[in-house]
Amino acid sequence: MNLPPLIVAMPLLAAILLAVFTKVLRPRVADVVAIAAALGVSVMCGFLYRQSLSSPLVHWFGGWRPRGGVAVGISFVVDPAGAGLAVLVSVLMLAALVYSARYFEKVGTLYHTLMLVFLGAMCGFCLTGDLFNLFVFFELMGAAAYALCGYKTEEPGPLQGALNFAVVNTVGAFLVLDGLALLYARTGALNLAQIAQAVGDQRPDGLLITAFVLLAAGFLVKAAAVPFHFWLADAHAVAPTPVCILFSGVMVELGLYAVVRLYWVIFSAPFAGHGEALRALLITAGLLTALLGAVMCFLQRHIKRLLAFSTVSHVGIMLIGFGLLDREALAGLIVYVAGHALVKSSLFLGAGLLLHRFGSVDELKLHGRARRVPLLAGVFVLGAFGLAGLPTFGTFLGEALMSEAAEHHDYAWLSWCSMLAAALTGAAVLRMTARVFFGWGAAPDEAARPPTTEDEQRETRNDHTRLPLVMVVPTVLLAVTGLFSGLTPGAAGAAHLAAERLHDRPAYIARVLDDQPVPPPAPATTPALTTPLLHGLASAAAALILACLALFRPRLRLPGTVRGVAELRQVHSGHIGDYVAWLTLGVAVFGVSCAVLLR
């Protein structure tokens, strides 16, 4: 079976082809090659996902299979979670490439080359069964992402954003590399299954805890969890819009996926006796991320920065889902990731359409200027309610599954916190939509104030009096798919299966090292939807009320909020030194907490 390596090789080979013939190829030919490669990868990932449903697929490169339980070769291990993520990655890449076919009038083949390298690296990351290759694919992904973020080299904003992005994530990469080295020193293995077998289920010692801290912190930097999140808004707000849907839609989620994969395969057995303590620690980190990201999202007037901070908030909700350390919550997390990716991608593409049509993504400058594009208003309204977790969206179904697991572990109050964060992010998008598309709320005086961040320049040079069809179609399709993603037949069952394969450590080890069949999945439970349904409706209503208050009662402020807002803005300074200092503090706090709680 050669499908897994082909999924990675095809975009990389297409990228090499474009790079070699960059001086003779026309941009439209590069568009066709890149879109064809992304389409091919999407189809192959779909086939691979279907094949992985019956049993995880293991591909050993060069036929170097394990001997006596020792893996000397390199493997791809394809289970429903990894294959499903690869499907999501390739579909979003396809949407981004179709959208950018008209978006950049003078784009060179370098853009397509970088996008295809990005695609190959993300797919490899989803499919690999090797710890070192997990690191290599993420760094390859990062190298392409840094270059794409700073693609508009003539503008200082993208260069600064790319620099912040690269420096902070490189520090995260060193943390991952150090953790990887510690595990290799202990086990002499890089294959995930063999590391897990060597670690066993013995009580964790200092080396194992340190390795976990370094690996988790390094990948949480890439997932933009608080206090490692500072780079995200700087990068996502200035990157080319088609690239943003990959950054916010899947790249940060891949950082969290790495933590989830490593925990359940390697660390879940040794840390089993400390589940309650680790659960409390991860949930605390998730809560901080969800609420801080939501508040910062609500404070923005730069639309892409607003969406970037909403990504931070929703990563927090996802981190809570993982932090529950429960199979049911894991299923909810999987659904939530897919639902969020669809909604957030449509919102970013919508922001790109605003930039194309009106030359700005500043909410106040755009006051009432988009009245004649109701279709785009509909996309933003759908996106806002999707972020708020309205029933029918995948975010709702994911939240329902996670809430049920939270209740099982006596964390029922968590659903209210997630609802608050979701409502704040939804309210921010609704407020912006009402102001930009309907002209509601006061704006002229506010628009005269200097913005906290510079507005963006147009990225398109073609006719600005209309919205190109190739840009509108992916935007609307993603928004509509997101709307019905929570109603997809079998979505909950598929998520339960993926969660069980991800969760079952002994079955994973036996499948990879001994080629043993995996046991049949346990029957999926149907979540009780009455309470989550009320929460979803309440969250959407709260988002609507908060948006109205922001529009018509802007002077209504809680005591101390003005000072708190100023301090929050000051902390997000845009200075790399500050970000690295926060990162260092975060790693220290996380490390000390783990040392105290896991011994």
Side-chain angles (χ1 to χ4, degrees):
M1 183 190 64
N2 295 318
L3 208 52
L6 190 58
I7 285 172
V8 180
M10 177 186 279
L12 295 180
L13 289 174
I16 293 170
L17 180 72
L18 292 178
V20 170
F21 296 102
T22 184
K23 293 186 178 178
V24 297
L25 284 179
R26 293 181 178 180
R28 291 292 172 247
V29 176
D31 281 333
V32 171
V33 172
I35 290 172
L39 180 61
V41 171
S42 300
V43 173
M44 287 191 289
C45 286
F47 278 118
L48 203 60
Y49 173 74
R50 285 187 61 83
Q51 290 179 356
S52 70
L53 292 176
S54 55
S55 178
L57 311 170
V58 184
H59 178 90
W60 291 97
F61 286 83
W64 290 64
R65 295 178 175 278
R67 295 288 187 273
V70 177
V72 294
I74 296 172
S75 66
F76 273 177
V77 181
V78 186
D79 61 7
L85 260 179
V87 171
L88 185 63
V89 162
S90 56
V91 168
L92 291 188
M93 178 60 78
L94 182 61
L97 288 170
V98 170
Y99 185 90
S100 56
R102 191 63 186 274
Y103 197 70
F104 297 111
E105 283 297 297
K106 292 187 177 180
V107 67
T109 53
L110 176 61
Y111 170 76
H112 303 90
T113 302
L114 290 171
M115 290 289 270
L116 289 172
V117 170
F118 198 25
L119 173 60
M122 285 192 288
C123 288
F125 185 83
C126 297
L127 304 180
T128 186
D130 184 279
L131 181 56
F132 187 72
N133 284 328
L134 197 74
F135 167 76
V136 169
F137 279 125
F138 213 114
E139 292 317 298
L140 180 59
M141 188 194 320
Y146 309 148
L148 285 166
C149 181
Y151 192 76
K152 294 178 281 186
T153 53
E154 68 280 4
E155 298 176 26
L159 289 180
Q160 183 183 356
L163 197 58
N164 289 355
F165 186 11
V167 170
V168 176
N169 275 264
T170 301
V171 175
F174 276 111
L175 295 176
V176 172
L177 194 59
D178 289 340
L180 184 159
L182 288 178
L183 275 184
Y184 184 71
R186 166 59 60 86
T187 64
L190 291 172
N191 183 278
L192 291 176
Q194 193 174 343
I195 293 173
Q197 189 178 54
V199 166
D201 56 0
Q202 296 180 356
R203 186 183 176 86
D205 57 13
L207 186 143
L208 198 62
I209 293 172
T210 306
F212 172 73
V213 168
L214 293 171
L215 287 168
F219 281 118
L220 286 178
V221 169
K222 297 170 184 301
V226 169
F228 311 131
H229 69 289
F230 293 95
W231 61 270
L232 184 140
D234 292 348
H236 292 206
V238 297
T241 304
V243 177
C244 289
I245 75 170
L246 299 166
F247 283 4
S248 269
V250 285
M251 189 178 178
V252 292
E253 287 81 355
L254 290 183
L256 186 58
Y257 166 75
V259 180
V260 174
R261 173 70 72 183
L262 294 179
Y263 174 78
W264 284 113
V265 172
I266 297 176
F267 298 101
S268 58
F271 292 171
H274 306 280
E276 285 297 328
L278 189 58
R279 183 176 294 120
L281 179 61
L282 293 171
I283 286 174
T284 302
L287 272 177
L288 284 173
T289 306
L291 296 177
L292 181 68
V295 172
M296 285 302 298
C297 169
F298 199 74
L299 295 177
Q300 305 305 312
R301 58 185 274 188
H302 185 286
I303 297 172
K304 287 171 69 177
R305 186 170 284 270
L306 179 154
L307 296 176
F309 274 113
S310 81
T311 298
V312 174
S313 178
H314 287 265
V315 164
I317 295 174
M318 296 174 204
L319 183 53
I320 290 172
F322 162 61
L324 287 166
L325 304 179
D326 180 277
R327 190 185 61 179
E328 186 79 9
L330 202 53
L333 170 61
I334 290 168
V335 177
Y336 199 93
V337 166
H340 172 263
L342 294 169
V343 169
K344 188 56 61 64
S345 301
S346 69
L347 286 171
F348 264 112
L349 293 186
L353 286 168
L354 279 176
L355 186 59
H356 162 80
R357 183 74 171 76
F358 302 103
S360 174
V361 285
D362 187 303
E363 176 185 335
L364 299 182
K365 287 183 181 176
L366 288 171
H367 183 264
R369 291 176 60 191
R371 285 189 172 94
R372 296 186 177 180
V373 279
L375 181 64
L376 197 51
V379 168
F380 277 102
V381 170
L382 284 181
F385 284 123
L387 293 182
L390 187 73
T392 76
F393 285 91
T395 47
F396 161 75
L397 181 59
E399 176 59 33
L401 293 168
M402 289 190 284
S403 295
E404 188 165 289
E407 193 171 344
H408 177 71
H409 292 285
D410 296 328
Y411 281 96
W413 51 271
L414 271 178
S415 61
W416 293 100
C417 298
S418 298
M419 190 184 84
L420 175 62
L424 274 171
T425 57
V429 177
L430 279 177
R431 180 202 66 205
M432 179 276 295
T433 306
R435 189 167 272 151
V436 171
F437 292 92
F438 304 106
W440 292 359
D445 293 341
E446 293 287 326
R449 294 182 186 177
T452 52
T453 53
E454 290 185 5
D455 199 3
E456 281 200 66
Q457 302 296 316
R458 273 196 173 99
E459 296 168 324
T460 54
R461 297 178 187 276
N462 50 344
D463 183 8
H464 297 136
T465 60
R466 63 186 184 84
L467 300 178
L469 195 61
V470 293
M471 292 167 65
V472 172
V473 170
T475 308
V476 173
L477 279 179
L478 286 170
V480 173
T481 309
L483 171 63
F484 296 110
S485 55
L487 301 177
T488 307
H496 275 106
L497 175 63
E500 176 144 339
R501 296 285 186 248
L502 196 57
H503 177 271
D504 194 342
R505 182 177 188 261
Y508 180 91
I509 296 172
R511 178 65 181 156
V512 175
L513 296 182
D514 301 321
D515 199 23
Q516 296 293 316
V518 294
T525 56
T526 304
L529 292 179
T530 305
T531 303
L533 193 66
L534 294 175
H535 279 196
L537 292 173
S539 178
L544 202 55
I545 293 169
L546 286 170
C548 290
L549 287 175
L551 287 167
F552 301 115
R553 297 293 299 276
R555 297 186 183 282
L556 182 64
R557 296 185 175 104
L558 297 175
T561 53
V562 175
R563 184 177 175 184
V565 166
E567 289 174 347
L568 267 181
R569 290 190 189 281
Q570 195 173 10
V571 167
H572 295 79
S573 61
H575 298 151
I576 297 176
D578 293 349
Y579 294 177
V580 174
W582 279 107
L583 189 156
T584 307
L585 176 64
V587 173
V589 171
F590 185 59
V592 170
S593 301
C594 286
V596 172
L597 297 174
L598 302 180
R599 291 300 296 270

